[in-house]
Amino acid sequence: MDGLHSACVSEDCVRGVLEERFSVSCKAPVSHIQVDCCSSVCAFPLQGNELCIQSIADPSLQPLQLKGHHHSISAVTFGNRQKPLLICSASEDYVIVWDVERCRKKTEEGLIAMGTIVGTLLGNVSHLSICPRDEKVAACTGAKIYILNIKQEEVISVFEGHLAAVTAAVFPSWNADIIVSISEDRTFKVWNLSNEELIHQSAVLSGSPLLSVFLSEMNKQLITGSADGQVWVFSLLSEHKYRLVTRVDLQKTEQRYLKNKAFRETQKGTSIKDSLEKDNKVETVNPVLRIAPFMSVLDTRRNANRFCSRSGSYFWIGSSDGVYLINLATSELCTVMHFKDYPGLTIAMAGSWAIQQGNQTNVFCLLTSMFEDNIALVQINVTVLAESHCYFNGQECPGEDNLYVVARRPLLPDSLLSSDVLRKDASKPPKKSAVKNCVKDQPVVFHSKVKSSGYTAPGCRTMFSPKTNTQKKNHQLSKSSKKNEVLFKDYPADCPAPSILQTHLNATAKPTPVCSLQFSGDGKQVVCGLSDTSILLYNSTLSGAPAVYTGHDGAVRCVGWSHCNQWLLSASEDRTLRIWPVGITQPALTLGGERFPQPLRSAQFYYMDKFLLLSCGPLLQLYLYHLDTSQDDIKRYKQKSLCKLVEKFQMTTGTEITSVSAVNDFFSYIVLVAGNDHAVEAFDLNVGRRAACIPDAHTRAVHHIAQNKGSMFSTQEPDAYNLFLTSSVTDGIKLWDLRTLRCVQRYEGHVNRCHPCTAAFSPCGQYIATGSENNCLLTATLDGKLQLFRP
């Protein structure tokens, strides 16, 4: 065949990640022609009106050339079945369906291979698609979509409605009665083939035309890309009403990928300047020319799925300058292969793509040149790619030094966590002579106790109301109920997320924002921190009058429970921290003054109530404490509780800390810290230093970190505690795995544009919940399925 050039490497050469199998020089322009390939052969127009079918396994075999068109072929596509293997080609004169095996036998016998004409004089066909059963073919001509019978020349139906040329129309593999089309009018439409009516019409998505579309059968999602490098993912489930799942900017994602890659090289010793200069390039728009799924590759050496964190979330995106592997579940770029980095390729700028994964180790790409009349078949060796690109987002795959939330090593002899506070009762007793000579304190009144004046008592929030219709208590029932309260019930592992409103309560008469909220570990009480400086303690059913804790002079931004559920912790804008005994409105410990020059952003009990973990400005502070609730009636102002600073930590850049999270329900050395520099760092307090860093975790600063801390009512796998969430304004929620420091899922179904909305794990670890600015509560499973709840 004229113009066929083999580009296979020799056996003694090391096989690369991206290599060219063969290239073809054509006499007609092929820049925007639809080409296609399957697992065994590929098809493309050779000399304008000739259809060439070339073997992928052995490019040296004589290709099959089919003649039947009088005008230049503009679109080619394969059927979905292997036997018989059908291929459809279109030009301005005909739309022809070919049986590949039958045509090959006719050619070997010396006869002329003939196809079946299914359409005549439809116009310039820009895209072809065959239904899953190989019964219908969709031909896109201008703003019309023709549905043709694949066995005979018959126009089944014609769909019109787009305001510009239709660029693609595809059939979902799970429903043959529906077809989805995209157009240059920047919208997509869903049509019903049986009723010949429009089911759904999207809004204008972009300022550039939509060029490619793919329907994921596993996730029931529509994925479309535009000419300016934007990728949208919509849910096709009927109950979701074509909701937008996520959106990815290919250019910004690539910039973040290169920046994280530079950070990784910096850790190896290369300067940041050298790393950025190495990856510097002119910013260009990356059109999404093709979207194809990527099957996972099992790394047998480590017995881990190196690429796929969730099956069906990775996709190939063919663009003009190269091919991208992107994880749409996390909206992150895994790897990119630019044509300029492989000088052995014939094509430097692609005009159209066809991507087919032959097996779990090879991916074949048939692409046309943008400015030259060349067509090439390129092979991607996924095994070599996995070996050479063993990192994601600039982070290398951790080896044996993986981080775990659950402590797996004993405390070091000089560890910070082995410190202890010196209690007053543990001090040395005085000598007997000193005891004899000392004068004992004498009361100034005649009684051993003095009644309080009532100045420190909380204000009354409810008017007096007499009790009527009182009934005698049944002592037998009360005794049995008390016994049942002691018995804990297991949290059901297979229950759905809560979606029914149980109680609605106004905390105050005036509309006062609730700044913080947390349930106790036993689930019996809930504490609320309000912006009016007060703290309310309710039972879990929110019934009855709450216990009121007052004493702060600013909004209570943080509240927390101890592991024993006997102490409350509160941090306020007045730069003070207070620890309250449950049931007593007098704080046992108050920290403030010169200790905290700025308001506390985070405060909690840590390491099974042994420490206090605080963040103030750029400092993460670890305190030892001892609580003593005994008071002298004469010197009530004197605080007997103790507190001692153990250590201070700072993030790498010294930025202000925005959120801190650590587990207090079991022994854990890991503390997660987020800062204004968009990074998340993990500190190992057993070693006393920073252990890992996730640069640019979000496009904006992380305002909240939530860990899967579990519950005493449920049992989870130990590895499940390594999951944590990060929230950022306008950037959604990301689910991370501490062991690999990789984002494994992204959630964008809620509205979070200006207010810091927090998130939380369910006790069973199967759901997450987050607030939204549209007065909705969203719950989601870990695989990304959302459920909306509007109170």
Side-chain angles (χ1 to χ4, degrees), residues 436-481:
K436 291 180 180 180
N437 298 328
C438 67
V439 179
K440 296 183 179 180
D441 294 336
Q442 299 293 331
V444 296
V445 293
F446 297 101
H447 303 284
S448 59
K449 292 184 179 181
V450 179
K451 185 178 181 181
S452 173
S453 61
Y455 289 116
T456 59
C460 182
R461 289 176 171 264
T462 57
M463 298 294 293
F464 170 77
S465 59
K467 295 182 180 180
T468 59
N469 299 327
T470 58
Q471 297 179 359
K472 295 183 179 180
K473 296 182 179 179
N474 192 338
H475 296 284
Q476 295 181 355
L477 294 177
S478 61
K479 291 181 180 180
S480 60
S481 61

Short mmCIF file of all heavy atoms in Angstrom, two decimals, residues 436-481:
data_model
loop_
_atom_site.label_atom_id
_atom_site.label_comp_id
_atom_site.label_asym_id
_atom_site.label_seq_id
_atom_site.Cartn_x
_atom_site.Cartn_y
_atom_site.Cartn_z
N LYS A 436 3.63 22.17 112.06
CA LYS A 436 3.33 22.59 113.41
C LYS A 436 3.35 24.10 113.56
O LYS A 436 2.54 24.68 114.26
CB LYS A 436 4.34 21.96 114.37
CG LYS A 436 4.19 20.45 114.50
CD LYS A 436 5.22 19.90 115.48
CE LYS A 436 5.06 18.37 115.62
NZ LYS A 436 6.05 17.81 116.57
N ASN A 437 4.33 24.76 112.88
CA ASN A 437 4.50 26.19 113.04
C ASN A 437 3.53 27.02 112.20
O ASN A 437 3.35 28.20 112.45
CB ASN A 437 5.92 26.60 112.69
CG ASN A 437 6.93 25.93 113.63
OD1 ASN A 437 6.62 25.69 114.80
ND2 ASN A 437 8.12 25.65 113.12
N CYS A 438 2.97 26.40 111.13
CA CYS A 438 2.10 27.18 110.25
C CYS A 438 0.75 27.42 110.91
O CYS A 438 0.29 26.65 111.74
CB CYS A 438 1.91 26.47 108.92
SG CYS A 438 0.98 24.93 109.06
N VAL A 439 0.14 28.53 110.54
CA VAL A 439 -1.19 28.91 111.05
C VAL A 439 -2.22 28.50 110.02
O VAL A 439 -2.12 28.89 108.85
CB VAL A 439 -1.26 30.41 111.33
CG1 VAL A 439 -2.66 30.78 111.86
CG2 VAL A 439 -0.20 30.79 112.35
N LYS A 440 -3.20 27.74 110.45
CA LYS A 440 -4.20 27.27 109.53
C LYS A 440 -5.15 28.40 109.14
O LYS A 440 -5.35 29.35 109.90
CB LYS A 440 -5.01 26.14 110.16
CG LYS A 440 -4.19 24.90 110.46
CD LYS A 440 -5.05 23.80 111.03
CE LYS A 440 -4.25 22.55 111.31
NZ LYS A 440 -5.09 21.46 111.86
N ASP A 441 -5.70 28.28 107.94
CA ASP A 441 -6.66 29.28 107.46
C ASP A 441 -7.92 29.19 108.29
O ASP A 441 -8.45 28.10 108.55
CB ASP A 441 -6.99 29.04 105.98
CG ASP A 441 -5.76 29.28 105.11
OD1 ASP A 441 -4.88 30.04 105.56
OD2 ASP A 441 -5.70 28.70 104.01
N GLN A 442 -8.40 30.36 108.75
CA GLN A 442 -9.61 30.42 109.55
C GLN A 442 -10.71 31.10 108.77
O GLN A 442 -10.46 32.07 108.05
CB GLN A 442 -9.35 31.19 110.86
CG GLN A 442 -8.29 30.56 111.74
CD GLN A 442 -8.73 29.22 112.29
OE1 GLN A 442 -9.94 28.99 112.49
NE2 GLN A 442 -7.79 28.34 112.57
N PRO A 443 -11.91 30.58 108.82
CA PRO A 443 -13.01 31.24 108.09
C PRO A 443 -13.37 32.58 108.72
O PRO A 443 -13.21 32.77 109.94
CB PRO A 443 -14.15 30.24 108.21
CG PRO A 443 -13.86 29.48 109.44
CD PRO A 443 -12.37 29.38 109.55
N VAL A 444 -13.83 33.50 107.93
CA VAL A 444 -14.23 34.82 108.41
C VAL A 444 -15.71 34.87 108.73
O VAL A 444 -16.22 35.91 109.13
CB VAL A 444 -13.89 35.91 107.37
CG1 VAL A 444 -12.40 35.99 107.17
CG2 VAL A 444 -14.59 35.61 106.06
N VAL A 445 -16.41 33.76 108.55
CA VAL A 445 -17.83 33.68 108.90
C VAL A 445 -18.02 32.48 109.82
O VAL A 445 -17.12 31.67 110.02
CB VAL A 445 -18.70 33.54 107.63
CG1 VAL A 445 -18.64 34.81 106.80
CG2 VAL A 445 -18.28 32.35 106.82
N PHE A 446 -19.23 32.34 110.35
CA PHE A 446 -19.50 31.29 111.30
C PHE A 446 -19.95 29.99 110.65
O PHE A 446 -20.15 29.00 111.34
CB PHE A 446 -20.57 31.76 112.31
CG PHE A 446 -20.12 32.93 113.12
CD1 PHE A 446 -20.55 34.20 112.80
CD2 PHE A 446 -19.27 32.76 114.21
CE1 PHE A 446 -20.15 35.29 113.56
CE2 PHE A 446 -18.86 33.85 114.96
CZ PHE A 446 -19.29 35.13 114.62
N HIS A 447 -20.14 29.98 109.32
CA HIS A 447 -20.61 28.78 108.65
C HIS A 447 -19.50 28.24 107.76
O HIS A 447 -18.62 28.97 107.30
CB HIS A 447 -21.85 29.09 107.79
CG HIS A 447 -22.98 29.68 108.58
ND1 HIS A 447 -23.79 28.95 109.42
CD2 HIS A 447 -23.43 30.96 108.66
CE1 HIS A 447 -24.69 29.74 109.98
NE2 HIS A 447 -24.50 30.97 109.53
N SER A 448 -19.56 26.94 107.52
CA SER A 448 -18.53 26.30 106.69
C SER A 448 -18.72 26.60 105.21
O SER A 448 -17.78 26.49 104.43
CB SER A 448 -18.55 24.78 106.91
OG SER A 448 -19.84 24.27 106.58
N LYS A 449 -19.95 26.98 104.80
CA LYS A 449 -20.23 27.29 103.41
C LYS A 449 -20.94 28.63 103.32
O LYS A 449 -21.72 28.99 104.22
CB LYS A 449 -21.09 26.20 102.75
CG LYS A 449 -20.38 24.87 102.58
CD LYS A 449 -21.26 23.89 101.84
CE LYS A 449 -20.54 22.57 101.65
NZ LYS A 449 -21.38 21.59 100.89
N VAL A 450 -20.66 29.33 102.23
CA VAL A 450 -21.28 30.63 102.01
C VAL A 450 -22.13 30.55 100.76
O VAL A 450 -21.68 30.06 99.72
CB VAL A 450 -20.20 31.74 101.84
CG1 VAL A 450 -20.87 33.09 101.59
CG2 VAL A 450 -19.33 31.79 103.08
N LYS A 451 -23.37 30.99 100.87
CA LYS A 451 -24.29 30.93 99.73
C LYS A 451 -23.84 31.91 98.65
O LYS A 451 -23.44 33.03 98.94
CB LYS A 451 -25.70 31.26 100.20
CG LYS A 451 -26.75 31.11 99.11
CD LYS A 451 -28.14 31.40 99.63
CE LYS A 451 -29.17 31.22 98.53
NZ LYS A 451 -30.54 31.51 99.01
N SER A 452 -23.92 31.46 97.42
CA SER A 452 -23.48 32.30 96.30
C SER A 452 -24.44 33.46 96.09
O SER A 452 -25.65 33.36 96.35
CB SER A 452 -23.40 31.46 95.01
OG SER A 452 -23.13 32.28 93.91
N SER A 453 -23.88 34.57 95.59
CA SER A 453 -24.70 35.75 95.32
C SER A 453 -25.53 35.60 94.06
O SER A 453 -26.47 36.36 93.85
CB SER A 453 -23.81 36.98 95.20
OG SER A 453 -22.89 36.81 94.13
N GLY A 454 -25.16 34.67 93.21
CA GLY A 454 -25.95 34.42 92.01
C GLY A 454 -25.51 35.21 90.78
O GLY A 454 -26.16 35.15 89.74
N TYR A 455 -24.39 35.94 90.90
CA TYR A 455 -23.95 36.73 89.75
C TYR A 455 -23.45 35.85 88.60
O TYR A 455 -23.54 36.21 87.44
CB TYR A 455 -22.85 37.71 90.18
CG TYR A 455 -23.38 38.84 91.04
CD1 TYR A 455 -22.97 38.99 92.36
CD2 TYR A 455 -24.27 39.76 90.51
CE1 TYR A 455 -23.45 40.03 93.14
CE2 TYR A 455 -24.76 40.80 91.29
CZ TYR A 455 -24.35 40.94 92.61
OH TYR A 455 -24.83 41.95 93.37
N THR A 456 -22.88 34.72 88.92
CA THR A 456 -22.32 33.85 87.88
C THR A 456 -23.33 32.84 87.35
O THR A 456 -23.00 32.06 86.45
CB THR A 456 -21.11 33.08 88.45
OG1 THR A 456 -21.54 32.30 89.58
CG2 THR A 456 -20.02 34.04 88.87
N ALA A 457 -24.53 32.82 87.88
CA ALA A 457 -25.54 31.87 87.41
C ALA A 457 -26.05 32.29 86.04
O ALA A 457 -26.13 33.49 85.74
CB ALA A 457 -26.71 31.78 88.40
N PRO A 458 -26.37 31.34 85.16
CA PRO A 458 -26.87 31.70 83.83
C PRO A 458 -28.24 32.36 83.90
O PRO A 458 -29.03 32.11 84.81
CB PRO A 458 -26.95 30.36 83.09
CG PRO A 458 -27.10 29.36 84.17
CD PRO A 458 -26.30 29.89 85.34
N GLY A 459 -28.50 33.25 82.95
CA GLY A 459 -29.76 33.95 82.92
C GLY A 459 -30.92 33.03 82.58
O GLY A 459 -30.76 32.02 81.89
N CYS A 460 -32.09 33.39 83.07
CA CYS A 460 -33.28 32.60 82.80
C CYS A 460 -33.76 32.87 81.39
O CYS A 460 -33.93 34.03 80.99
CB CYS A 460 -34.37 32.95 83.81
SG CYS A 460 -35.89 31.98 83.59
N ARG A 461 -34.00 31.83 80.61
CA ARG A 461 -34.39 31.97 79.22
C ARG A 461 -35.85 31.64 78.99
O ARG A 461 -36.37 31.87 77.91
CB ARG A 461 -33.52 31.07 78.32
CG ARG A 461 -32.09 31.57 78.18
CD ARG A 461 -31.26 30.61 77.37
NE ARG A 461 -29.94 31.19 77.07
CZ ARG A 461 -29.63 31.82 75.95
NH1 ARG A 461 -30.53 31.97 75.01
NH2 ARG A 461 -28.42 32.32 75.75
N THR A 462 -36.53 31.05 79.98
CA THR A 462 -37.95 30.69 79.82
C THR A 462 -38.76 31.27 80.98
O THR A 462 -38.28 31.36 82.12
CB THR A 462 -38.12 29.18 79.77
OG1 THR A 462 -37.57 28.60 80.97
CG2 THR A 462 -37.38 28.58 78.57
N MET A 463 -39.98 31.63 80.67
CA MET A 463 -40.88 32.15 81.70
C MET A 463 -41.39 31.00 82.57
O MET A 463 -41.40 29.84 82.16
CB MET A 463 -42.06 32.88 81.04
CG MET A 463 -41.66 34.09 80.22
SD MET A 463 -40.98 35.41 81.24
CE MET A 463 -42.43 35.88 82.16
N PHE A 464 -41.82 31.37 83.79
CA PHE A 464 -42.35 30.36 84.69
C PHE A 464 -43.69 29.85 84.16
O PHE A 464 -44.54 30.64 83.72
CB PHE A 464 -42.52 30.93 86.09
CG PHE A 464 -43.29 30.03 87.02
CD1 PHE A 464 -42.67 28.92 87.58
CD2 PHE A 464 -44.62 30.28 87.29
CE1 PHE A 464 -43.38 28.08 88.42
CE2 PHE A 464 -45.33 29.44 88.14
CZ PHE A 464 -44.71 28.34 88.70
N SER A 465 -43.88 28.55 84.16
CA SER A 465 -45.14 27.95 83.74
C SER A 465 -45.49 26.86 84.74
O SER A 465 -44.68 25.97 85.00
CB SER A 465 -45.03 27.37 82.33
OG SER A 465 -44.02 26.40 82.30
N PRO A 466 -46.69 26.92 85.31
CA PRO A 466 -47.06 25.90 86.31
C PRO A 466 -47.29 24.55 85.66
O PRO A 466 -47.67 24.45 84.49
CB PRO A 466 -48.36 26.45 86.90
CG PRO A 466 -48.92 27.31 85.82
CD PRO A 466 -47.73 27.92 85.11
N LYS A 467 -47.02 23.50 86.42
CA LYS A 467 -47.21 22.14 85.93
C LYS A 467 -48.64 21.70 86.23
O LYS A 467 -49.11 21.80 87.36
CB LYS A 467 -46.22 21.18 86.59
CG LYS A 467 -44.78 21.46 86.24
CD LYS A 467 -43.85 20.45 86.90
CE LYS A 467 -42.40 20.73 86.54
NZ LYS A 467 -41.48 19.74 87.16
N THR A 468 -49.28 21.24 85.20
CA THR A 468 -50.66 20.75 85.35
C THR A 468 -50.74 19.32 84.86
O THR A 468 -49.91 18.88 84.07
CB THR A 468 -51.64 21.63 84.56
OG1 THR A 468 -51.25 21.61 83.19
CG2 THR A 468 -51.65 23.06 85.09
N ASN A 469 -51.82 18.62 85.30
CA ASN A 469 -52.05 17.23 84.89
C ASN A 469 -50.85 16.34 85.20
O ASN A 469 -50.40 15.56 84.38
CB ASN A 469 -52.40 17.14 83.41
CG ASN A 469 -53.66 17.90 83.08
OD1 ASN A 469 -54.57 17.98 83.91
ND2 ASN A 469 -53.71 18.45 81.87
N THR A 470 -50.27 16.56 86.36
CA THR A 470 -49.13 15.74 86.75
C THR A 470 -49.60 14.34 87.11
O THR A 470 -50.67 14.15 87.70
CB THR A 470 -48.40 16.36 87.94
OG1 THR A 470 -49.31 16.51 89.02
CG2 THR A 470 -47.83 17.72 87.55
N GLN A 471 -48.84 13.37 86.76
CA GLN A 471 -49.17 11.97 87.04
C GLN A 471 -48.06 11.36 87.86
O GLN A 471 -46.89 11.76 87.77
CB GLN A 471 -49.35 11.18 85.74
CG GLN A 471 -50.52 11.67 84.89
CD GLN A 471 -50.65 10.88 83.62
OE1 GLN A 471 -49.87 9.98 83.35
NE2 GLN A 471 -51.68 11.20 82.84
N LYS A 472 -48.42 10.37 88.64
CA LYS A 472 -47.43 9.69 89.44
C LYS A 472 -46.53 8.84 88.57
O LYS A 472 -46.99 8.22 87.61
CB LYS A 472 -48.12 8.81 90.49
CG LYS A 472 -48.90 9.60 91.51
CD LYS A 472 -49.50 8.67 92.55
CE LYS A 472 -50.27 9.45 93.61
NZ LYS A 472 -50.85 8.55 94.64
N LYS A 473 -45.29 8.83 88.90
CA LYS A 473 -44.32 8.06 88.14
C LYS A 473 -44.42 6.58 88.48
O LYS A 473 -44.62 6.22 89.63
CB LYS A 473 -42.89 8.55 88.41
CG LYS A 473 -42.66 9.97 87.94
CD LYS A 473 -41.21 10.38 88.19
CE LYS A 473 -40.95 11.78 87.71
NZ LYS A 473 -39.54 12.19 87.96
N ASN A 474 -44.27 5.77 87.49
CA ASN A 474 -44.23 4.32 87.69
C ASN A 474 -42.78 3.94 87.97
O ASN A 474 -41.93 4.01 87.10
CB ASN A 474 -44.74 3.61 86.43
CG ASN A 474 -44.99 2.13 86.70
OD1 ASN A 474 -44.43 1.56 87.63
ND2 ASN A 474 -45.84 1.54 85.88
N HIS A 475 -42.51 3.59 89.22
CA HIS A 475 -41.13 3.32 89.62
C HIS A 475 -40.58 2.09 88.92
O HIS A 475 -39.39 2.00 88.64
CB HIS A 475 -41.07 3.13 91.15
CG HIS A 475 -41.44 4.36 91.90
ND1 HIS A 475 -40.60 5.45 92.02
CD2 HIS A 475 -42.59 4.69 92.55
CE1 HIS A 475 -41.18 6.39 92.75
NE2 HIS A 475 -42.40 5.96 93.08
N GLN A 476 -41.44 1.14 88.60
CA GLN A 476 -40.95 -0.05 87.92
C GLN A 476 -40.49 0.28 86.51
O GLN A 476 -39.46 -0.20 86.04
CB GLN A 476 -42.06 -1.11 87.89
CG GLN A 476 -42.45 -1.63 89.26
CD GLN A 476 -43.52 -2.69 89.19
OE1 GLN A 476 -44.05 -2.98 88.11
NE2 GLN A 476 -43.86 -3.25 90.33
N LEU A 477 -41.28 1.14 85.81
CA LEU A 477 -40.87 1.53 84.47
C LEU A 477 -39.61 2.36 84.49
O LEU A 477 -38.75 2.23 83.62
CB LEU A 477 -42.01 2.30 83.78
CG LEU A 477 -43.29 1.51 83.51
CD1 LEU A 477 -44.34 2.43 82.90
CD2 LEU A 477 -43.00 0.35 82.56
N SER A 478 -39.49 3.24 85.48
CA SER A 478 -38.31 4.09 85.54
C SER A 478 -37.06 3.25 85.79
O SER A 478 -36.00 3.50 85.22
CB SER A 478 -38.47 5.15 86.64
OG SER A 478 -38.63 4.51 87.90
N LYS A 479 -37.20 2.24 86.65
CA LYS A 479 -36.04 1.38 86.90
C LYS A 479 -35.65 0.60 85.67
O LYS A 479 -34.47 0.46 85.34
CB LYS A 479 -36.35 0.44 88.07
CG LYS A 479 -36.48 1.14 89.41
CD LYS A 479 -36.76 0.14 90.51
CE LYS A 479 -36.89 0.82 91.86
NZ LYS A 479 -37.17 -0.16 92.95
N SER A 480 -36.63 0.08 84.93
CA SER A 480 -36.31 -0.69 83.74
C SER A 480 -35.73 0.19 82.65
O SER A 480 -34.84 -0.23 81.90
CB SER A 480 -37.58 -1.39 83.23
OG SER A 480 -38.57 -0.43 82.90
N SER A 481 -36.25 1.44 82.57
CA SER A 481 -35.71 2.34 81.54
C SER A 481 -34.27 2.70 81.85
O SER A 481 -33.45 2.85 80.94
CB SER A 481 -36.57 3.60 81.45
OG SER A 481 -36.55 4.29 82.70
#
